[in-house]
Amino acid sequence: MRSLFGRFVMGVAVLALPALAAAQTPSPFPRPGQARPPAQPSPPQPAQPAPATTLPPAAAFAPQNGEPTDLGVPMYPGAQFIASYDAGRGQRYYLYGAESDFLQIVTWYRTMLKQKGELVFEEPPVHMFDIGRYREETMAFTPSVTVKDYTWGGSLGYINPKRGGTPARFKTIIQVVPNAPGAPK
């Protein structure tokens, strides 16, 4: 009796596996400002070439070349521009790598920005300095300078994305979300 039941369960499992494998992967959450996906998937449409002025959705996160000239905050001496990314709602954030230690950079920003900032994570250490007011209706992120230690816990650091770049790894990453032009600080 048990072997017959066991075979039945095994047979059902074998039949259910292909259905599970063919199940559709759920889509990620929409970004701020994007419409929600339809509840029921729409039937596939014939492929049409996209107009030359539109970008594929993944391009919103593609790094943009060109270091900005003025972000409205001083940049740590020796920090190297890595990339900038679309933060949504017309904002961008900019990444810089530095060979200096986390505490040295945090101390420098405390002096230059004349504020204490806030240690938002202890492990790995992440320190944030607000440089403007957050406006929910127009912003995705608070204008800020964020410093993160990439050598915490024995890590070798953030890999330099520039092929053959010096240094090969950055000890600390500085992220800047600039204040919108003309916005009050």
Side-chain angles (χ1 to χ4, degrees), residues 5-87:
F5 179 75
R7 288 182 187 172
F8 173 76
V9 170
M10 184 62 80
V12 169
V14 168
L15 291 174
L17 281 177
L20 290 173
Q24 183 178 3
T25 304
S27 62
F29 292 106
R31 292 184 48 210
Q34 285 183 333
R36 289 191 156 180
Q40 296 293 327
S42 57
Q45 300 292 327
Q48 296 177 356
T53 58
T54 61
L55 297 173
F61 292 102
Q64 303 296 314
N65 293 334
E67 182 174 358
T69 56
D70 183 24
L71 296 176
V73 293
M75 189 47 54
Y76 184 80
Q80 293 182 36
F81 175 72
I82 296 175
S84 72
Y85 296 91
D86 180 358

Side-chain angles (χ1 to χ4, degrees), residues 57 68 95 115 160 180:
L95 296 182
Q115 62 169 294
N160 189 338

